[in-house]
Amino acid sequence: MITKSGGEYPYLMEAFGPIPAYLFSWTSLFVIKPTSFAIICLSFSEYVCAPFYSGCNPPPVVVKCLAAAAILLITTVNSLSVRLGSYVQNVFTGAKLVIVAIIIISGLVLLAQGNTRNFENSFEGTKLSVGAISLAFYNGLWAYDGWNQLNYITEELRNPFRNLPLAIIIGIPLVTGCYILMNVSYFTVMTPTELLQSQAVAVTFGDRVLYPASWVVPLFVAFSTIGAANGTCFTAGRLVYVAGREGHMLKVLSYISVRRLTPAPAIIFYGIIATIYIIPGDINSLVNYFSFAAWLFYGLTILGLVVMRFTKKDLERPIKVPIFIPILVTLVSVFLVLAPIISEPAWEYLYCVLFILSGLIFYFLFVHYKFGWAQKILKPVTMHLQMLMEVVPPEEAPE
């Protein structure tokens, strides 16, 4: 129904107006998307470092420097060429499926041989609470995050009315099946305690099951995480670009490289923000921080689908979904947002909300009222970047 790129952004714009859409782009640019990028690159770095520090954790400075280098490489690739970014995505997705198949087959063979002791009383000692369940969902659902990535490049898809739902229908069940079967394989070989203590679970699995070919695992997992990071960078850059095009971000962020035909300023800016998030380096805290903000806007977006059933009745809907599905997802989103706050209040959630609302200051300064002094500050910056990066506004870009 809404054939614009930018993921949740155009849906929020159509359903609720510019302020929620702006707050989403503000939060995505500075929290949701860069933390996701940083988490994936930190995971890549840990798997690459693990073989070189057998029996101990790699130094944090090494992990962070390698993660920053990965961000730099991926940002450069996506700034240089759309085709190159797509090629990298295809190659590393293939590599990901190879290692997934190796781990699943190995685990199922061991399971068939009777290695089931780790599944006996597997939930014994678990603390059951509303907050614990919601945090478990945060970490579990983060593994599936990416279900909405194609909506960030809707304008660049061929025949989106056919290919968008087809990709989702094939992709999400495939990922779900692979994820569950991989966890079954891990638990076949390792106890819950060993899983928690392992710095890189797949490496530990490879050392126990695939030796002397265990080196294959960290290599292919590194390929896998690079592919995931590349996909995140590719799509997130489009969100920044669309928000800039709508006047909700710096105008220069909507510019397109004259030579490369990529939204290079948006991608580079996104890479810089993600690199900053590498500094804390705590993956668990980043996941929780990311998930709280993400599900706040996921819920608002899905609620928008329900609202538009009444406010935009006359628009053509090429893809139709029963209304009980968005209602159910909205209720789940409300639970995921409120449950950890109610059961285990933490200052981080308040900081997150305050940060989201702080975007209103910039909205009224630079977007709504467009104060003259603010525009005078931004104009020379925009002109300098335009000359430095050889970029032009989207309306002046070559076809």
Side-chain angles (χ1 to χ4, degrees), residues 8 12 16 130 133-135 137-138 141 145 147-148 288 290-306 324-342 349:
E8 292 84 350
L12 291 169
F16 302 112
V130 174
I133 291 172
S134 61
L135 290 176
F137 267 106
Y138 274 178
L141 289 170
D145 198 75
W147 53 271
N148 57 344
N288 293 337
F290 161 87
S291 297
F292 173 79
W295 280 99
L296 188 64
F297 285 105
Y298 287 162
L300 196 59
T301 304
I302 302 299
L303 178 63
L305 300 183
V306 178
F324 80 88
I325 293 178
I327 291 174
L328 175 63
V329 177
T330 301
L331 293 175
V332 171
S333 302
V334 171
F335 168 77
L336 289 172
V337 170
L338 295 181
I341 299 176
I342 295 171
Y349 300 122

Side-chain angles (χ1 to χ4, degrees), residues 230-261:
N230 183 77
T232 299
C233 181
F234 186 89
T235 55
R238 271 61 184 175
L239 168 63
V240 182
Y241 159 75
V242 171
R245 187 177 65 186
E246 297 291 335
H248 281 182
M249 287 291 162
L250 288 172
K251 188 68 177 176
V252 72
L253 295 180
S254 70
Y255 286 12
I256 296 171
S257 172
V258 177
R259 296 182 182 179
R260 309 292 181 181
L261 300 182

Side-chain angles (χ1 to χ4, degrees), residues 97-302:
L97 291 176
V98 168
I99 192 59
V100 164
I102 290 173
I103 291 173
I104 289 174
I105 293 171
S106 302
L108 292 180
V109 168
L110 290 170
L111 193 64
Q113 292 174 348
N115 292 281
T116 59
R117 61 186 180 277
N118 292 336
F119 295 97
E120 298 170 2
N121 303 317
S122 53
F123 290 96
E124 187 178 359
T126 301
K127 294 180 180 179
L128 191 62
S129 68
V130 174
I133 291 172
S134 61
L135 290 176
F137 267 106
Y138 274 178
N139 286 271
L141 289 170
W142 187 83
Y144 296 104
D145 198 75
W147 53 271
N148 57 344
Q149 293 296 293
L150 273 182
N151 296 74
Y152 282 86
I153 55 171
T154 304
E155 296 171 18
E156 300 175 56
L157 288 177
R158 295 177 182 174
N159 192 4
F161 300 126
R162 173 185 178 273
N163 293 332
L164 180 63
L166 189 63
I168 291 171
I169 290 168
I170 295 171
I172 291 181
L174 177 63
V175 171
T176 303
C178 290
Y179 184 72
I180 292 171
L181 289 173
M182 283 187 72
N183 277 281
V184 169
S185 297
Y186 291 149
F187 277 105
T188 303
V189 175
M190 289 173 274
T191 65
T193 302
E194 290 172 332
L195 278 166
L196 289 171
Q197 291 176 345
S198 174
Q199 187 71 12
V201 175
V203 173
T204 305
F205 178 92
D207 289 339
R208 295 190 181 185
V209 177
L210 302 174
Y211 186 83
S214 56
W215 57 270
V216 169
V217 175
L219 177 65
F220 276 86
V221 171
F223 289 163
S224 170
T225 48
I226 280 289
N230 183 77
T232 299
C233 181
F234 186 89
T235 55
R238 271 61 184 175
L239 168 63
V240 182
Y241 159 75
V242 171
R245 187 177 65 186
E246 297 291 335
H248 281 182
M249 287 291 162
L250 288 172
K251 188 68 177 176
V252 72
L253 295 180
S254 70
Y255 286 12
I256 296 171
S257 172
V258 177
R259 296 182 182 179
R260 309 292 181 181
L261 300 182
T262 61
I267 293 171
I268 292 170
F269 187 71
Y270 169 66
I272 292 170
I273 300 297
T275 305
I276 294 172
Y277 277 99
I278 292 293
I279 297 171
D282 183 353
I283 290 180
N284 288 328
S285 63
L286 283 177
V287 167
N288 293 337
Y289 193 49
F290 161 87
S291 297
F292 173 79
W295 280 99
L296 188 64
F297 285 105
Y298 287 162
L300 196 59
T301 304
I302 302 299

